[in-house]
Amino acid sequence: GSDWEHELGERFRDAINPAVKAEDKEGHRPFRSYQLPKWAQHPDSLTRRPMVEKEEYFGMGADGLGNVELWNVAHVAAFHDDLKLLSLATEEECR
């Protein structure tokens, strides 16, 4: 996969005024206390390459159906018309 690609006119998180962010303010949890699953990502986190480990989705196909169409990231991104998700697909997955 690759890094996030921002749409034209979309603001980067570091360009947003810190006064409007809720993180690290009184009444809110500190940013470092977040313990999101590995597949979820906070926009202020340093890493931009989410990795989904087997433990995160193990048992999802317990009904026996699973991924019968053999879809990859590019298929799902195209189905949902999501260019950000498509930017995470490898060139091989886009063919």
Side-chain angles (χ1 to χ4, degrees):
S2 60
D3 291 329
W4 289 109
E5 292 185 13
H6 295 274
E7 294 180 12
L8 185 63
E10 184 177 1
R11 295 174 18 183
F12 292 94
R13 287 289 291 179
D14 52 0
I16 297 174
N17 183 350
V20 299
K21 293 183 182 180
E23 289 84 2
D24 298 324
K25 291 189 179 175
E26 189 168 332
H28 292 274
R29 293 173 44 189
F31 173 68
R32 303 225 185 276
S33 73
Y34 291 105
Q35 293 186 354
L36 298 173
K38 292 178 185 176
W39 53 265
Q41 181 175 351
H42 189 282
D44 288 338
S45 65
L46 296 177
T47 179
R48 293 286 187 209
R49 295 178 185 237
M51 297 289 292
V52 180
E53 301 294 334
K54 186 174 183 178
E55 299 84 35
E56 300 291 336
Y57 65 87
F58 183 75
M60 293 299 210
D63 57 0
L65 297 178
N67 185 8
V68 294
E69 298 292 329
L70 300 176
W71 278 20
N72 60 32
V73 174
H75 290 103
V76 175
F79 181 82
H80 292 284
D81 196 26
D82 187 342
L83 293 178
K84 279 191 178 182
L85 182 58
L86 185 61
S87 73
L88 297 175
T90 63
E91 280 190 40
E92 184 176 280
E93 290 174 328
C94 291
R95 293 186 184 152

